Amino acid sequence: MTVDPSANFRTRVEQALGDDNLRTALDRATSRLRGKRTTAVAAIDLERLRDEARAIREHSIRRLPEMLEQLERNLIANGCQVHWAETGTEATDIINAIARQHGVRRAVKSKSMTTEEIRLNEALGQEGVAVVETDLGEYIIQLADEPPSHITAPVLHKRAEDIAELFQRELGMHPTTDPTEICAAARRQLRGEFLAAELGISGCNFAIAETGTICIVTNEGNGRMVTSMAPVYVALLGIEKIVPRVEDAILLWQAVARSATGQETTVYFSMSSGPRGPGQVDGPREMHVVLLDNGRTRILERGYADALLCVRCGACLNSCPIYREIGGHAYGETAYSGPIGAVVTPLLADNPATFRELPYASSLCGVCREVCPVKIDLPRLLLDLRHNLTQLKASPRYERTAVRAFARAAERPRTYQRLSRIVRWFMRLLPQNQDGDVSKLPPPLSAWTRSRVFPKPATPGFRELWRARGTQDTTSGDG
Ligand code: SF4
């Protein structure tokens, strides 16, 4: 991995843009996923599905407190143990305590961005619990010791050639890029892990309030083994994952599958409603559900309820011209990248200014809004965040001073005119290309011309055009 998530934003972006293999991997994967989505949605009344999906999510978030109480009641009635975690640390403490209580040393996990959000693997590792990822993509990046770079396709930043090399190095496999062979090799390794694990951990795609059911959608069947084979099962979910009824979960499942991977539905839809009952031959003996806030109610309080409608399909990432160039790691130390990541990462943080660059990692072209299955107006949210960050004075002091100085000059036409003349004169002294555009600005503006030119001032300028137009209008009026 060439991108160092702990480096500053500019460095991360430069590292990503300088990695040809990463750019190839991103281009291949996002093009394939976009193509599959386009075909899948062409076959249905997409607008209707999006309207219905959004209505379900809006209803769920509007009635969040009462539905969470209903979910808790029904989970307990089903025999589950329910835990509430206000922060990520509280959630990891709860899960560590469960592991300690059962003497757990080995755990298996299905793909879950919420566990990435709270860095659960690290927290369990510190307690001596080895967690093995069982989703193929997650398994690959665990072997590579890298974080995921996409909400639904964690290994999207790697080419098939990179994965083949990794399997050769880590598992002693013969060189091949055949996905079936790679998958079979991973399966052979994971089978033993499923059998040996004392704890299964999953995230949750939808939590059904009326039945107290945790649903996860997968394509590999690993989710079902994680939730049913180990004696103890823990489901971790953000409180926004709730839906009222079974049919709502089914409808959202279709919206997610078509948007994420271009499938009508995913291969598996696993529903867990409680531990193994009397007379049942399989399932966990104990089932725990951890309901995580970790900044979600703060998102509501900050007026960004729309961000909680997200069903984590990843379609906005696949279509975003910025994500497609830089990939997920360039967004920094966050589980969520792309347009939705640029919104929720600062909002989930105690101090949104920590991630102040992310809302600017967007051209605001609007394609993310067009593909979102729940019609989240992401460009609007990004603009609102930029506005809030400005109010918080999150941008660097020099930037604020420059904008203030510009605003002052722009309010005084004579000063502005004089300054414009000085700038024009100064620009003539700078290196130019054959079109007369400035090819190299001096520091601190040099970053601009590192990858583009600074266009020469237009001639005639706006003032001349305006004056000429005024003359013409007067002339025609006279005529
Ligand atoms: S914002 Fe919309 S498109 Fe993006 S991941 Fe969430 S649901 Fe999917």
Side-chain angles (χ1 to χ4, degrees):
M1 188 173 90
T2 47
V3 178
D4 172 8
S6 64
N8 70 44
F9 182 63
R10 185 180 293 275
T11 308
R12 296 195 305 264
V13 170
E14 281 170 358
Q15 287 170 340
L17 293 176
D19 182 343
D20 289 342
N21 288 349
L22 171 66
R23 310 277 298 280
T24 305
L26 288 169
D27 187 48
R28 281 184 195 163
T30 56
S31 304
R32 182 173 41 83
L33 288 167
R34 284 202 318 281
K36 287 173 84 174
R37 177 194 169 273
T38 305
T39 311
V41 298
I44 55 163
D45 183 347
L46 177 62
E47 282 315 293
R48 186 165 158 203
L49 179 64
R50 291 175 82 207
D51 284 336
E52 288 174 357
R54 183 174 174 96
I56 293 168
R57 294 300 298 135
E58 274 184 341
H59 175 82
S60 308
I61 298 300
R62 240 192 337 262
R63 294 184 47 224
L64 195 56
E66 62 192 270
M67 278 177 45
L68 284 170
E69 281 173 17
Q70 186 189 12
L71 175 71
E72 181 184 33
R73 270 197 311 277
N74 288 327
L75 283 168
I76 292 171
N78 294 343
C80 297
Q81 298 180 43
V82 179
H83 312 262
W84 296 87
E86 204 176 317
T87 63
T89 311
E90 274 184 36
T92 54
D93 286 349
I94 290 165
I95 300 171
N96 264 332
I98 296 167
R100 259 195 312 275
Q101 189 192 339
H102 292 277
V104 173
R105 282 288 159 265
R106 297 164 81 112
V108 282
K109 183 155 85 63
S110 70
K111 198 185 99 47
S112 151
M113 295 315 285
T114 316
T115 59
E116 297 289 342
E117 177 189 323
I118 64 166
R119 296 169 182 264
L120 180 61
N121 287 11
E122 280 170 42
L124 281 165
Q126 280 161 13
E127 294 278 319
V129 179
V131 184
V132 177
E133 297 288 348
T134 61
D135 167 87
L136 180 59
E138 290 280 352
Y139 179 68
I140 291 167
I141 56 168
Q142 188 173 41
L143 276 184
D145 195 21
E146 292 175 10
S149 67
H150 188 282
I151 298 175
T152 55
V155 73
L156 182 132
H157 59 284
K158 283 199 181 299
R159 303 169 307 157
E161 298 89 313
D162 304 326
I163 297 167
E165 203 183 298
L166 176 74
F167 271 47
Q168 222 177 316
R169 195 175 65 234
E170 297 294 325
L171 303 180
M173 193 181 167
H174 71 272
T176 176
T177 53
D178 178 5
T180 314
E181 277 198 63
I182 289 177
C183 194
R187 193 166 279 158
R188 276 193 299 276
Q189 296 289 327
L190 289 172
R191 191 156 295 150
E193 300 292 348
F194 282 121
L195 291 167
E198 296 131 340
L199 175 67
I201 304 166
S202 82
C204 166
N205 290 90
F206 317 110
I208 304 171
E210 72 169 2
T211 54
T213 303
I214 302 300
C215 309
I216 57 173
V217 304
T218 66
N219 277 319
E220 297 163 18
N222 62 312
R224 184 158 296 175
M225 293 169 85
V226 162
T227 58
S228 61
M229 281 182 73
V232 184
Y233 163 46
V234 175
L236 171 74
L237 58 134
I239 51 174
E240 83 284 9
K241 293 290 172 67
I242 200 151
V243 295
R245 305 165 306 165
V246 174
E247 47 270 49
D248 298 323
I250 302 293
L251 187 133
L252 289 175
W253 174 33
Q254 294 166 47
V256 170
R258 284 184 194 268
S259 305
T261 48
Q263 294 168 283
E264 286 178 27
T265 61
T266 52
V267 179
Y268 295 90
F269 185 87
S270 308
M271 304 169 89
S272 304
S273 294
R276 183 191 305 192
Q280 289 180 336
V281 292
D282 58 10
R285 284 200 304 273
E286 222 173 275
M287 176 169 164
H288 296 258
V289 177
V290 183
L291 294 156
L292 175 74
D293 184 328
N294 204 29
R296 284 153 176 84
T297 47
R298 212 165 38 213
I299 289 183
L300 284 175
E301 286 159 15
R302 286 174 174 161
Y304 288 89
D306 258 29
L308 294 182
L309 305 183
C310 176
V311 288
R312 304 275 189 264
C313 71
C316 59
L317 282 69
N318 303 334
S319 59
C320 174
I322 306 295
Y323 179 90
R324 280 158 47 202
E325 289 297 321
I326 63 174
H329 295 150
Y331 287 77
E333 293 180 303
T334 169
Y336 309 109
S337 55
I340 187 64
V343 172
V344 298
T345 302
L347 287 173
L348 286 173
D350 290 338
N351 177 10
T354 317
F355 295 97
R356 64 172 180 267
E357 298 96 350
L358 295 191
Y360 294 90
S362 167
S363 64
L364 302 176
C365 67
V367 69
C368 49
R369 179 180 47 214
E370 301 306 315
V371 298
C372 177
V374 287
K375 293 191 166 182
I376 299 177
D377 190 347
L378 287 157
R380 178 73 262 156
L381 297 180
L382 288 166
L383 279 171
D384 289 349
L385 254 175
R386 291 181 189 184
H387 178 67
N388 290 157
L389 287 167
T390 307
Q391 285 175 325
L392 287 173
K393 297 191 180 1
S395 51
R397 185 186 284 271
Y398 74 84
E399 199 177 300
R400 281 182 280 133
T401 311
V403 171
R404 251 200 319 271
F406 177 80
R408 262 199 214 128
E411 280 167 2
R412 295 168 179 77
R414 273 179 195 288
T415 315
Y416 187 80
Q417 227 170 330
R418 259 182 234 132
L419 282 173
S420 302
R421 254 186 251 130
I422 294 170
V423 170
R424 275 168 191 255
W425 176 82
F426 181 65
M427 280 174 71
R428 267 191 245 135
L429 305 178
L430 297 172
Q432 295 172 3
N433 63 13
Q434 69 273 24
D435 298 323
D437 298 323
V438 174
S439 54
K440 200 166 179 192
L441 283 168
L445 306 170
S446 47
W448 178 271
T449 43
R450 215 176 292 152
S451 53
R452 49 173 115 56
V453 294
F454 189 82
K456 65 181 176 219
T459 38
F462 175 74
R463 283 169 190 284
E464 287 93 341
L465 283 174
W466 187 256
R467 263 198 300 274
R469 188 188 142 148
T471 320
Q472 273 173 17
D473 284 354
T474 317
T475 315
S476 59
D478 284 349

